[in-house]
């Protein structure tokens, strides 16, 4: 089974408001094991880098000035991705930017059916806990001491280790563990395309007989608190 772990860096949070993708890093997994094949590229965003985004990933306008436009490298990226499932952390964010860039240069969008979101998997496994990449790396003992700033390929490498842990880790060869974790992934894939019907709220009204019994019970209480003056 071939899967691609990927991460992006951008100029901001919303491609609809003019933010652009500036870096992508991809790791190839074969049967949940890194194959050694990667894809990494920087792109010129055709705009200046906001200070807030620069503080996160350190990619300046000057650094990106001589980098190619996304359109020039889109075919190479799509060739690497093939039709494999795509794994990302908070995947809708990364899919949103990737598909925005593909649309701008005339390529078809990547189907959301291919999306596997490790945040959703982590929420299933660890409800109520913190689900940031940093927090989950700490939980699973993944070393990130060499990570000073965000970087697409570095974060993809960390996410590849995390994804392996989330989907069975060292127990991946055991049938039961593998079946359970693969079911989580199947649910995550299916939830992106399932449309659930909206059901009206249920009405739980007491019947006349129930109200009569309640009133009779209240009448037997001696000096209830709510009848006493404050």
């Amino acid at each position: 089974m071939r899967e691609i772990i990927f991460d992006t860096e951008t100029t901001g949070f919303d491609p609809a408001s003019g933010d652009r993708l500036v870096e992508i890093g991809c790791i190839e997994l074969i049967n949940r094991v890194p194959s050694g094949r990667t894809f990494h590229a920087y792109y010129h965003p055709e705009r200046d880098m906001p200070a807030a985004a620069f503080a996160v990933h350190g990619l300046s306008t000057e650094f990106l000035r001589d980098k190619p436009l996304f359109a020039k490298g889109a075919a190479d990226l799509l060739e690497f991705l093939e039709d494999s499932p795509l794994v990302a952390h908070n995947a809708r964010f990364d899919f949103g930017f990737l598909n925005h860039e593909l649309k701008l240069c005339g390529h078809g969008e990547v189907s959301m059916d291919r999306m596997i979101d490790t945040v959703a998997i982590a929420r299933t496994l660890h409800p109520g806990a913190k689900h940031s990449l940093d927090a989950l790396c700490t939980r699973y003992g993944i070393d990130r001491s060499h990570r000073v700033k965000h970087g697409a390929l570095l974060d993809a490498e960390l996410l590849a280790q995390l994804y392996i842990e989330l989907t069975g880790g060292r127990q991946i060869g055991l049938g039961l563990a593998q079946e359970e974790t693969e079911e989580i992934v199947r649910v995550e894939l299916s939830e992106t395309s399932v449309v659930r019907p909206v059901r009206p709220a249920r009405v739980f009204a007491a019947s006349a007989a129930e109200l009569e019994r309640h009133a009779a019970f209240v009448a037997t209480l001696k000096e209830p608190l709510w009848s006493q003056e404050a």
Side-chain angles (χ1 to χ4, degrees):
M1 179 176 62
R2 182 178 191 266
E3 298 166 297
I4 300 297
I5 311 290
F6 83 106
D7 185 64
T8 62
E9 299 299 337
T10 68
T11 65
F13 296 106
D14 185 9
S17 65
D19 286 319
R20 301 293 298 275
L21 186 151
V22 296
E23 183 187 10
I24 190 166
C26 307
I27 307 289
E28 181 187 63
L29 298 187
I30 303 295
N31 295 328
R32 310 274 168 82
V33 177
S35 70
R37 289 190 65 209
T38 65
F39 181 94
H40 181 230
Y42 295 106
Y43 303 110
H44 191 299
E46 300 180 274
R47 55 162 293 171
D48 289 336
M49 180 64 67
F54 173 76
V56 173
H57 50 56
L59 302 177
S60 66
T61 300
E62 291 72 23
F63 174 79
L64 296 168
R65 196 177 305 279
D66 63 348
K67 301 302 183 285
L69 300 179
F70 181 89
K72 291 186 177 180
D76 292 336
L77 173 60
L78 291 172
E79 182 179 0
F80 182 85
L81 298 179
E82 297 180 3
D83 59 354
S84 302
L86 304 179
V87 182
H89 202 65
N90 190 23
R92 289 187 181 278
F93 175 89
D94 299 284
F95 266 69
F97 272 93
L98 175 59
N99 280 333
H100 180 73
E101 295 292 342
L102 289 170
K103 185 177 180 180
L104 285 178
C105 60
H107 287 277
E109 296 184 354
V110 173
S111 172
M112 299 296 283
D113 290 340
R114 295 168 60 183
M115 182 178 77
I116 299 176
D117 187 358
T118 49
V119 170
I121 297 174
R123 284 174 177 162
T124 300
L125 295 174
H126 309 293
K130 294 181 179 180
H131 302 119
S132 68
L133 182 58
D134 286 344
L136 289 166
C137 283
T138 298
R139 172 183 283 272
Y140 284 95
I142 298 170
D143 181 19
R144 52 183 176 83
S145 59
H146 55 301
R147 181 178 183 248
V148 179
K149 287 184 179 290
H150 287 257
L153 187 60
L154 174 58
D155 284 2
E157 290 170 348
L158 292 174
L159 183 58
Q161 297 178 63
L162 176 61
Y163 179 63
I164 291 168
E165 294 296 331
L166 290 173
T167 54
R170 295 183 179 88
Q171 297 181 7
I172 198 66
L174 300 178
L176 181 59
Q178 184 171 1
E179 290 173 7
E180 290 177 348
T181 53
E182 285 183 351
E183 180 62 26
I184 293 173
V185 174
R186 283 195 293 272
V187 169
E188 169 57 24
L189 280 169
S190 64
E191 284 183 348
T192 63
S193 56
V194 173
V195 178
R196 293 180 173 83
V198 177
R199 295 183 174 87
R202 297 180 181 178
V203 178
F204 296 96
S207 66
E210 289 170 331
L211 291 173
E212 185 177 347
R213 288 197 299 270
H214 175 71
F217 170 75
V218 171
T220 66
L221 301 178
K222 296 182 179 180
E223 299 181 355
L225 292 176
W226 58 84
S227 67
Q228 299 177 14
E229 295 183 1

